[in-house]
Amino acid sequence: DAGVTQSPTHLIKTRGQQVTLRCSPKSGHDTVSWYQQALGQGPQFIFQYYEEEERQRGNFPDRFSGHQFPNYSSELNVNALLLGDSALYLCASSRVAGFTGELFFGEGSRLTVL
Amino acid sequence: KNEVEQSPQNLTAQEGEFITINCSYSVGISALHWLQQHPGGGIVSLFMLSSGKKKHGRLIATINIQEKHSSLHITASHPRDSAVYICAAHGGATNKLIFGTGTLLAVQP
């Protein structure tokens, strides 16, 4: 049973560019949430998708957007990249919308903005 | 002041010691998660609890809703337990997940 998979694992972009990160949830899970983790910091919640709609959102600007597909996979898009967007981006899936179910995390996508 | 505070920030223990990591939160919650993160980034969920106590192997998590406090205990610690331990509170009113800054644990043989 495949767990949560994320791609790409590493990528390098320059300021002003746009990036798309992808996440496939664990089999049987329909809820996907995204997190940003800067080096040496704890993760910060970006948003959560359920039934193809953004259900909750953290304190992130509109440059951060997402999408969930009918097969429950999800994308995180970041426009107009800033140096401060350099971080590990984590995806987690669960059976339950919200955060009252166990979360299963992917290995993350490490983004470096130059 | 962060809404979720962990202590200690760093902890070094000798193999076999009993370890306690604390998490205090200021928001009303519907659930609290304990997570483990190894170098390289991958996060593993250890516990999700909303009341009482849970045990899995050598790990025990407790929560006191009235005192807004949770603890993670590791019995008979082992070098493979070395990792960052993170608590995250699900704020029921805001419906967001708020993370602590983590506790870096090093268990020496």
Side-chain angles (χ1 to χ4, degrees):
Chain A
D1 175 25
V4 178
T5 58
Q6 291 187 244
S7 63
T9 53
H10 295 83
L11 70 165
I12 300 173
K13 293 285 188 177
T14 57
R15 281 179 299 175
Q17 284 189 313
Q18 179 264 344
V19 67
T20 297
L21 308 177
R22 296 174 177 84
C23 173
S24 292
K26 182 177 168 64
S27 177
H29 289 187
D30 58 8
T31 301
V32 174
S33 48
W34 287 92
Y35 306 86
Q36 181 195 64
Q37 187 176 28
L39 198 61
Q41 305 292 318
Q44 287 194 298
F45 169 65
I46 303 175
F47 42 52
Q48 185 179 79
Y49 276 84
Y50 172 67
E51 291 185 342
E52 301 180 50
E53 289 190 16
E54 182 183 297
R55 300 291 179 170
Q56 290 88 31
R57 188 178 182 95
N59 297 326
F60 279 82
D62 292 344
R63 299 187 297 110
F64 289 76
S65 64
H67 189 77
Q68 186 178 34
F69 299 94
N71 67 353
Y72 309 123
S73 67
S74 177
E75 288 182 349
L76 164 65
N77 301 293
V78 188
N79 294 323
L81 285 168
L82 304 173
L83 295 180
D85 295 331
S86 295
L88 179 69
Y89 288 85
L90 293 157
C91 163
S93 72
S94 63
R95 290 180 186 274
V96 180
F99 299 104
T100 54
E102 186 178 3
L103 299 172
F104 290 79
F105 286 83
E107 292 294 314
S109 295
R110 189 166 296 280
L111 171 65
T112 302
V113 182
L114 301 177
Chain B
K1 185 171 166 40
N2 292 335
E3 292 173 287
V4 179
E5 298 269 358
Q6 284 186 240
S7 63
Q9 285 189 301
N10 295 279
L11 180 57
T12 300
Q14 294 298 313
E15 184 173 356
E17 285 186 1
F18 180 84
I19 289 165
T20 296
I21 299 170
N22 297 298
C23 176
S24 297
Y25 51 91
S26 57
V27 296
I29 68 163
S30 55
L32 187 127
H33 298 258
W34 279 103
L35 311 168
Q36 179 193 58
Q37 186 170 32
H38 281 282
I43 291 180
V44 173
S45 175
L46 300 175
F47 295 102
M48 192 281 294
L49 64 166
S50 54
S51 65
K53 175 181 174 179
K54 287 189 176 180
K55 183 175 188 294
H56 181 67
R58 295 180 295 106
L59 301 178
I60 303 166
T62 63
I63 189 167
N64 185 317
I65 297 295
Q66 288 74 27
E67 294 186 4
K68 294 188 175 179
H69 180 270
S70 177
S71 293
L72 176 68
H73 306 286
I74 305 175
T75 62
S77 59
H78 189 275
R80 65 174 175 267
D81 297 326
S82 298
V84 175
Y85 291 84
I86 303 169
C87 70
H90 174 210
T94 63
N95 211 19
K96 296 177 184 177
L97 195 61
I98 306 165
F99 291 81
T101 52
T103 294
L104 176 60
L105 170 66
V107 181
Q108 297 178 342

